[in-house]
Amino acid sequence: MRLVNHERNAVDLRTTPVHLGLGSRAKPVEGFAWDPEVLRAYSAAVAADGAEGRMVMIFDGEGRGDHWESHPAGDELVVCLSGSVTVTRDVDGMPDRVRLGPGEATINPAGVWHVVDMEGPSSILSITAGLGTDHRPRTDTRPTGPVGTPGPEEAP
């Protein structure tokens, strides 16, 4: 995993997220993967950006989301690019659902647990404050206990 300083070619946000950091810098993240070692390396590489760092990425899929997540360092913007998605938030123990169609967006407030369900083949763009992100398995309609899997915020 490495941050690229000046990428002149097209970047596929499905495979190569872009990190938005301090000083209005945008750096593609080559070799990114949802692997604990890569996530630790990413966290270490962007640690100086603190709570202001953001990851921009596109996710394609369909079906029910398999985990809850929470981003305590800042809000997350979720944009539906195609298909239809439902974002469910746990607000004071009650589900708060927002259905999105193409071009529609919602904001997950900092620290609020949420999950995304894709109704049929769908794509979303997310802009996420990764510092301190936590994930929990989706075993019920609400988050329960921590997973223990490192997120992008956990530096070695």
Side-chain angles (χ1 to χ4, degrees):
M1 188 289 318
R2 73 182 186 101
L3 298 178
V4 179
N5 284 322
H6 298 286
E7 179 62 57
R8 293 192 174 130
N9 298 315
V11 175
D12 183 349
L13 289 173
R14 289 167 173 84
T15 58
T16 306
V18 171
H19 177 78
L20 303 178
L22 298 178
S24 298
R25 298 287 186 187
K27 296 181 179 184
V29 185
E30 283 188 349
F32 182 81
W34 296 105
D35 170 83
E37 186 176 316
V38 174
L39 293 171
R40 279 190 289 274
Y42 170 72
S43 294
V46 301
D49 293 337
E52 298 306 312
R54 299 288 184 271
M55 178 181 277
V56 180
M57 188 170 216
I58 292 176
F59 297 93
D60 298 315
E62 63 181 295
R64 193 168 179 241
D66 64 355
H67 67 276
W68 289 89
E69 60 183 31
S70 173
H71 314 288
D75 298 343
E76 174 185 54
L77 177 67
V78 177
V79 182
C80 180
L81 300 175
S82 66
S84 177
V85 301
T86 299
V87 177
T88 302
R89 300 178 190 102
D90 182 4
V91 179
D92 298 325
M94 299 298 297
D96 174 35
R97 293 181 181 88
V98 178
R99 187 171 181 169
L100 304 175
E104 295 180 321
T106 190
I107 297 168
N108 292 319
V112 172
W113 286 97
H114 57 277
V115 65
V116 178
D117 296 317
M118 297 181 161
E119 299 155 24
S122 302
S123 294
I124 61 169
L125 170 84
S126 67
I127 303 173
T128 307
L131 185 68
T133 292
D134 195 7
H135 295 92
R136 294 179 181 180
R138 184 174 184 179
T139 56
D140 201 348
T141 56
R142 298 186 56 221
T144 53
V147 174
T149 305
E153 71 294 340
E154 295 177 347

